[in-house]
Amino acid sequence: MTSEEVKINVEKALAEIRPFLESDGGDISLISIEDDRLVRVQLEGACVGCSVNTMTLKSGVEMTIKKYVPQIERVINVEP
């Protein structure tokens, strides 16, 4: 998978999870993809400071991204 394909598929994964975040008043933005293995995102809105945002990041966002791009090893939230 090329770097461009990785980015496209990460964006598809974020589009899949975004409605769930928006339903709780949150959102997510892609910040960067490093070495096609590490994804940096920024949780926004109600997701910032939410007590379960770590679980959302690992169980929701990371799992969904890995479904689209299995080579991704980690997803990290960049604080605003």
Side-chain angles (χ1 to χ4, degrees), residues 26-69:
D27 203 352
I28 191 165
S29 294
L30 176 62
I31 303 299
S32 66
I33 302 171
E34 298 172 14
D35 302 322
D36 294 339
R37 302 235 180 275
L38 172 69
V39 176
R40 292 184 190 276
V41 296
Q42 187 171 68
L43 292 170
E44 301 169 348
C47 293
V48 176
C50 175
S51 61
V52 294
N53 71 8
T54 302
M55 187 186 332
T56 298
L57 189 68
K58 292 294 174 192
S59 300
V61 177
E62 188 172 277
M63 185 178 73
T64 303
I65 288 174
K66 286 180 176 182
K67 180 173 76 173
Y68 282 84
V69 190

Side-chain angles (χ1 to χ4, degrees), residues 11-24:
E11 290 284 7
K12 286 179 185 175
L14 294 180
E16 181 178 314
I17 195 109
R18 188 167 281 119
F20 298 102
L21 299 175
E22 289 174 342
S23 70
D24 287 329

